[in-house]
């Protein structure tokens, strides 16, 4: 369990760095979408970001920030697998993990996904960007991180209850 908590903290630190560069991420998506002649449809999946990075990105800054996003998704996916092995699970923790796995699925459609308060990631986008193009892709990381924190909290409480019933 300690390993899961430490890994989650490290990922959260990387996410904070990524979050500080959200405008760079949005601009990189804009440039690569333009290069791909794909300006109509919204950025709807992790695999779409990966495709932009691999096939339509010619700027090192854009490549770095898109790679940071894809790497964070991959690290979170690995952490999900680790969480499954650490804790036998109950309906709450299993539900949280299933939510994370679904959201982190490469081809999952994220267009309707929106992070809500206290996350300001969507608020930093213009109305057009938030409603139509990037709201889902900027929301996936904070929502998954929240679910993982909830998983850790619930798992720790369950362990405390089992060890010292009230």
């Amino acid at each position: 369990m300690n390993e899961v908590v430490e890994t989650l903290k490290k990922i959260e630190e990387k996410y904070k760095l990524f979050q500080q560069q959200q405008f760079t991420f949005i601009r990189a998506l804009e440039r690569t979408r333009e290069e791909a002649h794909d300006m109509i449809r919204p950025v709807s999946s992790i695999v779409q970001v990966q495709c932009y990075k691999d096939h339509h990105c010619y700027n090192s800054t854009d490549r770095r920030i898109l790679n940071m996003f894809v790497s964070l998704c991959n690290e979170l996916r690995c952490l999900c697998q680790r969480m499954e092995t650490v804790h036998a699970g109950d309906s709450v923790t299993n539900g949280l993990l299933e939510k994370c796995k679904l959201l982190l699925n490469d081809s999952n459609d994220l267009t309707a996904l929106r992070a809500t308060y206290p996350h300001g990631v969507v608020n930093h986008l213009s109305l057009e960007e938030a409603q139509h193009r990037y709201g889902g892709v900027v929301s996936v990381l904070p929502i998954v991180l929240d679910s993982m924190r909830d998983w850790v909290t619930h798992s720790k409480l369950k362990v405390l209850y089992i060890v010292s019933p009230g």
Side-chain angles (χ1 to χ4, degrees):
M1 180 62 113
N2 290 338
E3 179 186 330
V4 167
V5 172
E6 285 305 311
T7 303
L8 183 57
K9 283 181 185 176
K10 287 177 185 173
I11 293 171
E12 286 174 324
E13 288 302 314
K14 290 178 185 177
Y15 173 68
K16 285 179 188 173
L17 188 65
F18 176 79
Q19 195 176 21
Q20 292 168 359
Q21 301 174 56
Q22 181 175 323
F23 288 115
T24 304
F25 179 62
I26 297 303
R27 299 308 158 242
L29 287 172
E30 283 180 352
R31 281 190 286 274
T32 54
R33 288 175 72 229
E34 190 175 324
E35 189 65 39
H37 305 290
D38 193 16
M39 296 301 287
I40 305 227
R41 67 184 180 132
V43 180
S44 60
S45 67
I46 296 167
V47 77
Q48 192 176 1
V49 175
Q50 178 77 47
C51 181
Y52 289 150
K53 179 184 80 74
D54 292 343
H55 303 289
H56 305 287
C57 186
Y58 303 107
N59 171 319
S60 62
T61 302
D62 292 352
R63 184 177 316 283
R64 182 191 52 75
I65 195 70
L66 295 177
N67 193 53
M68 184 183 267
F69 173 79
V70 172
S71 294
L72 280 165
C73 291
N74 289 336
E75 288 179 39
L76 288 167
R77 221 177 274 121
C78 289
L79 184 56
C80 274
Q81 293 171 347
R82 182 71 186 122
M83 286 171 153
E84 283 181 311
T85 63
V86 165
H87 178 55
D90 57 21
S91 61
V92 174
T93 56
N94 290 341
L96 289 166
L97 272 182
E98 284 308 310
K99 177 182 177 180
C100 291
K101 288 193 292 189
L102 175 68
L103 291 173
L104 292 168
N105 181 315
D106 277 344
S107 57
N108 185 39
D109 186 350
L110 304 170
T111 50
L113 189 66
R114 295 296 179 272
T116 56
Y117 181 81
H119 302 292
V121 292
V122 178
N123 296 341
H124 295 301
L125 301 174
S126 72
L127 185 61
E128 171 70 19
E129 290 171 329
Q131 287 183 345
H132 302 293
R133 288 182 257 167
Y134 310 116
V137 81
V138 299
S139 296
V140 68
L141 294 175
I143 290 172
V144 168
L145 285 167
D146 281 351
S147 295
M148 288 186 164
R149 278 187 224 104
D150 291 346
W151 183 94
V152 167
T153 301
H154 186 80
S155 297
K156 283 182 174 180
L157 288 175
K158 187 170 178 141
V159 167
L160 285 174
Y161 179 75
I162 290 171
V163 171
S164 59

